Amino acid sequence: MVDEFFADRRAVHGNQRSTIRSYQNALSGFTDYICSESYGWIDRCMELFDTHPAPVFHYWNTARHIQEAEHGGRRRPFRHTELQAFFDRADDEVERIARTDRKGWAAAFRDATLFKIAYCFGLRRNEVRHLETFDFSRNRKAPEFGKYGHLNVRYGKAMRGSDYKQRNVLALFPWGSEILEEWLERGHPHLATQGGTELFTTERGTFVSETALGARFRQYRDDIGLGREVVMHSLRHSYITHLIEAGAPAYFVQRQVGHEYASTTALYTGVSDEYLTSTVRDMLGGTIGDALRNGSKE
């Protein structure tokens, strides 16, 4: 009754794809255990019931994890102007709190820096909040980035049954080094514990929580009039999109963001209408355009 059960979960209960997959993973694990010859259940069932258990979950009738954020196409990256407006709003909050001499400006400064670094290196929320100062190092091929030319991401998204996946990310935006230097000089000492290496901490010296970051992000997003289709993960989404728009090789982008498959990177690419229009113009003005014109003559 697998098909009937999950059809009911989708149509009647409105479960998301990720929820369906969670149910199926749990049940599939149980049936794998029951059907394994290692535990003797097959022989016992034959003895008691004159039949044996058989697996009911297969590749063709289960929901597979086909992309990192299963949002049904409702989320999108920032446009360049929107991203700048978002960062400006974050900076304004720091200045507003600082002018009123109220406690909290350091936390606002921390979050503003964190959002920028998440975009600057294409990081997930959990990856950026776990950063520590020793994760950054020089890239001798790009000395203009100073001490922040290379980032070792230690809390990359884990695959099922494995530990966190690490990856190396190269700095591409020079302004990222300036932002990090300013934070470590002006903001970090107000929150970090003595000798602490955590880059983004709370007043208690712990890593900032995902919940707090989400609340701050939604506040700024709503303040500048963006819809709910823009979420914190859109910073990473925007990084991928903007690199593709800038002409970065697809494989390089894939390596930067730690996707195992190029198809996943493609799912995260949401190039702008302006980029598509200019691409078409370049195509029509180049060899493809010549081929099209020659073909029409024939």
Side-chain angles (χ1 to χ4, degrees), residues 23-291:
Y23 279 130
Q24 292 178 345
N25 285 343
L27 292 171
S28 179
F30 175 72
T31 58
D32 287 347
Y33 164 65
I34 288 293
C35 297
S36 172
E37 296 182 357
S38 303
Y39 301 102
W41 290 116
I42 295 178
D43 293 338
R44 185 60 173 161
C45 288
M46 289 297 296
E47 177 185 336
L48 294 174
F49 310 113
D50 197 30
T51 186
H52 61 83
V56 292
F57 292 97
H58 307 282
Y59 181 83
W60 59 84
N61 69 348
T62 53
R64 293 173 297 282
H65 193 171
I66 58 174
Q67 61 187 84
E68 289 187 31
E70 295 174 325
H71 45 66
R74 293 188 297 274
R75 299 178 188 174
R76 66 170 180 84
F78 285 90
R79 300 181 181 90
H80 287 279
T81 54
E82 293 172 340
L83 186 66
Q84 186 61 58
F86 179 84
F87 290 156
D88 289 344
R89 174 64 186 89
D91 291 339
D92 290 343
E93 184 71 5
V94 180
E95 294 182 10
R96 183 188 69 80
I97 298 176
R99 283 197 304 269
T100 59
D101 200 27
R102 288 171 48 203
K103 183 180 179 181
W105 74 268
F109 188 10
R110 173 201 65 206
D111 293 349
T113 305
L114 184 149
F115 292 143
K116 294 171 186 175
I117 296 304
Y119 168 76
C120 193
F121 288 92
L123 304 178
R124 302 177 179 92
R125 185 181 338 202
N126 196 52
E127 293 172 348
V128 68
R129 74 184 191 89
H130 276 103
L131 290 181
E132 301 196 42
T133 53
F134 57 75
D135 290 328
F136 293 91
S137 60
R138 297 180 182 275
N139 177 2
R140 57 190 181 86
K141 296 290 186 179
E144 62 268 31
F145 294 102
K147 296 182 293 184
Y148 310 105
H150 173 272
L151 172 62
N152 177 34
V153 178
R154 294 177 294 112
Y155 282 82
K157 186 175 182 180
M159 304 296 288
R160 186 171 66 175
S162 67
D163 202 353
Y164 291 108
K165 185 178 179 182
Q166 296 194 37
R167 72 177 185 278
N168 297 314
V169 183
L170 300 178
L172 301 175
F173 303 105
W175 52 265
S177 298
E178 300 172 6
I179 288 171
L180 283 167
E181 288 175 350
E182 182 181 15
W183 164 245
L184 290 171
E185 179 182 345
R186 296 182 52 224
H188 189 257
H190 293 274
L191 295 178
T193 57
Q194 184 68 29
T197 59
E198 300 87 353
L199 190 60
F200 301 115
T201 68
T202 66
E203 292 84 351
R204 299 182 300 278
T206 60
F207 288 113
V208 60
S209 70
E210 293 191 33
T211 302
L213 288 175
R216 180 88 75 174
F217 181 93
R218 290 189 294 273
Q219 175 192 346
Y220 296 163
R221 177 199 65 190
D222 296 345
D223 287 347
I224 64 174
L226 296 181
R228 297 176 63 183
E229 70 276 8
V230 178
V231 297
M232 187 169 171
H233 197 75
S234 294
L235 294 169
R236 174 175 164 87
H237 195 161
S238 303
Y239 173 85
I240 297 172
T241 298
H242 296 167
L243 287 186
I244 294 296
E245 289 183 345
Y251 181 67
F252 174 77
V253 178
Q254 178 187 342
R255 291 290 301 272
Q256 286 282 98
V257 297
H259 286 159
E260 187 171 358
Y261 302 107
S263 57
T264 307
T265 306
L267 286 169
Y268 271 66
T269 304
V271 295
S272 65
D273 292 340
E274 181 180 354
Y275 172 80
L276 293 174
T277 302
S278 62
T279 300
V280 170
R281 184 65 268 162
D282 292 341
M283 289 170 58
L284 294 177
T287 55
I288 293 179
D290 294 338

